[in-house]
């Protein structure tokens, strides 16, 4: 197959024409491509040898194209961000809607995700705006607003079926991460805790705050305890808060991500669902678990 592999993924499907266009582009670059191998309707891989030339264009259109080393693609651990990665919303923004302060909170969230604000300071400022919100709003918000992103459960359950460690680490709140972890099938979860008094949020978050550094620490702690090298870890996220763990992992994936993360990740997904993380590992759909 060669020492490298080009992986094409798209939630809407990867057509044979897109696969052939990519193979032709590799051939034109004298990289000795193999015949395309279909992993799923949504994924195709093509082996090749050598480095992609600057400005390489696979000609695949609205398909995610990622080049990876062919060796060691299957990972032994999955660590994932929660908000806007495993689920489709930012939970703090949705809670803010219940409190009537969503525009103010959402603006801080966006700036923090772009890496323009310190995460801890931004979290403290946002949580302060939730002061007085009834605790029952947490459960109501989860039931009404939180849904797994497409492919999330297949990804997590497949990884666990293969014997991989799975961890959900969030700069959000454990009231949500516990439910999301159970729904998606994660073995463990970590997140921040909102302080509640007399049935209402106090506007405070318990210390220490789980942010960018804590996500990296969680990767190293969980992997170390299981005897898993960082190179055998798959990490996925969407914002600046995920940068350290994504860069440390053997395969770091930016999922529909802000530029601060997308520019430095090993793979970038803008047109794919989360099953693409299985395809990036070379795992065909016949092995996926739902």
């Amino acid at each position: 197959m060669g020492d490298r592999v080009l992986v094409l993924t798209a939630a809407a499907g990867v057509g044979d024409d897109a696969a052939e266009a990519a193979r032709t582009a590799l051939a034109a670059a004298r990289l000795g491509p193999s015949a395309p191998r279909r992993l799923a309707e949504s994924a195709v891989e093509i082996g090749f040898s050598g480095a992609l030339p600057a400005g390489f264009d696979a000609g695949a259109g609205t398909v995610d194209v990622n080049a990876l080393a062919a060796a060691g693609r299957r990972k032994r651990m999955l660590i994932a961000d929660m908000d806007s990665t495993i689920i489709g919303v930012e939970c703090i923004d949705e809670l803010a809607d219940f409190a009537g302060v969503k525009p103010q909170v959402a603006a801080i969230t966006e700036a923090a995700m772009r890496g323009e604000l310190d995460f801890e300071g931004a979290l403290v400022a946002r949580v302060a705006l939730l002061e007085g919100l009834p605790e029952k709003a947490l459960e109501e918000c989860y039931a009404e607003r939180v849904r797994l992103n497409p492919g999330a459960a297949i990804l997590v359950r497949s990884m666990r079926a293969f014997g991989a460690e799975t961890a959900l680490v969030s700069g959000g709140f454990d009231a949500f991460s516990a439910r999301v972890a159970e729904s998606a099938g994660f073995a463990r979860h970590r997140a921040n805790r909102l302080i509640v008094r007399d049935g209402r949020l106090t506007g405070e978050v318990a210390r220490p705050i789980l942010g960018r550094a804590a996500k990296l620490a969680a990767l190293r702690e969980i992997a170390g305890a299981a005897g898993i090298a960082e190179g055998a870890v798959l990490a996925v996220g969407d914002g600046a808060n995920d940068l350290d763990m994504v860069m440390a992992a053997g395969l770091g994936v930016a999922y529909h991500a802000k530029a601060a993360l997308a520019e430095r990740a090993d793979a970038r997904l803008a047109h794919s669902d989360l099953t693409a993380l299985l395809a990036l590992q070379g795992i065909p759909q016949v092995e996926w678990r739902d």
Side-chain angles (χ1 to χ4, degrees):
M1 175 182 275
D3 62 347
R4 304 275 288 168
V5 63
L6 199 71
V7 184
L8 285 65
T9 57
V14 178
D16 291 341
D17 54 344
E20 181 56 28
R23 190 203 65 78
T24 299
L26 288 168
R30 301 176 182 271
L31 296 177
S34 63
R37 175 192 177 215
R38 183 162 292 280
L39 298 169
E41 182 179 345
S42 60
V44 171
E45 66 177 16
I46 306 170
F48 68 97
S49 297
L52 293 179
F56 175 80
D57 182 1
T62 54
V63 170
D64 291 315
V65 180
N66 290 287
L68 304 167
R73 287 169 66 194
R74 286 211 185 199
K75 303 305 180 186
R76 297 178 56 203
M77 175 175 159
L78 166 68
I79 186 166
D81 171 53
M82 180 176 73
D83 295 322
S84 297
T85 301
I86 294 299
I87 61 175
V89 297
E90 294 287 328
C91 290
I92 192 166
D93 292 353
E94 301 309 313
L95 280 177
D97 197 22
F98 277 76
V101 293
K102 186 170 185 177
Q104 300 95 303
V105 168
I108 300 173
T109 299
E110 276 296 307
M113 293 296 287
R114 291 192 300 266
E116 297 171 1
L117 294 176
D118 167 75
F119 175 80
E120 183 167 334
L123 183 66
V124 170
R126 288 176 291 174
V127 171
L129 292 170
L130 303 179
E131 182 179 2
L133 187 68
E135 183 180 15
K136 65 180 181 181
L138 299 174
E139 185 172 346
E140 292 172 359
C141 182
Y142 177 82
E144 295 179 16
R145 309 286 180 90
V146 177
R147 300 290 182 272
L148 295 179
N149 272 331
I154 293 174
L155 167 65
V156 179
R157 291 168 188 171
S158 297
M159 293 294 288
R160 288 193 72 177
F162 306 149
E165 293 285 334
T166 57
L168 183 68
V169 292
S170 174
F173 310 117
D174 59 3
F176 296 99
S177 67
R179 294 178 170 97
V180 171
E182 181 178 7
S183 179
F186 283 95
R188 67 192 80 220
H189 69 96
R190 295 185 184 184
N192 293 302
R193 180 173 61 85
L194 293 167
I195 297 176
V196 178
R197 187 174 299 119
D198 299 326
R200 292 183 179 273
L201 304 189
T202 66
E204 301 167 296
V205 61
R207 267 49 172 197
I209 290 176
L210 191 155
R212 178 167 162 173
K215 289 188 175 187
L216 175 59
L219 182 158
R220 289 176 170 164
E221 177 190 331
I222 296 167
I228 298 171
E230 290 182 11
V233 176
L234 165 58
V236 59
D238 74 302
N241 196 37
D242 305 309
L243 184 59
D244 290 356
M245 73 171 186
V246 165
M247 290 184 65
L251 176 56
V253 180
Y255 180 76
H256 297 257
K258 304 294 186 296
L261 181 65
E263 291 170 356
R264 302 179 73 179
D266 299 312
R268 289 152 292 282
L269 301 174
H271 306 290
S272 305
D273 65 28
L274 287 164
T275 62
L277 275 72
L278 295 169
L280 291 174
Q281 297 177 80
I283 301 170
Q285 188 171 357
V286 292
E287 295 184 36
W288 300 356
R289 306 295 176 84
D290 54 20

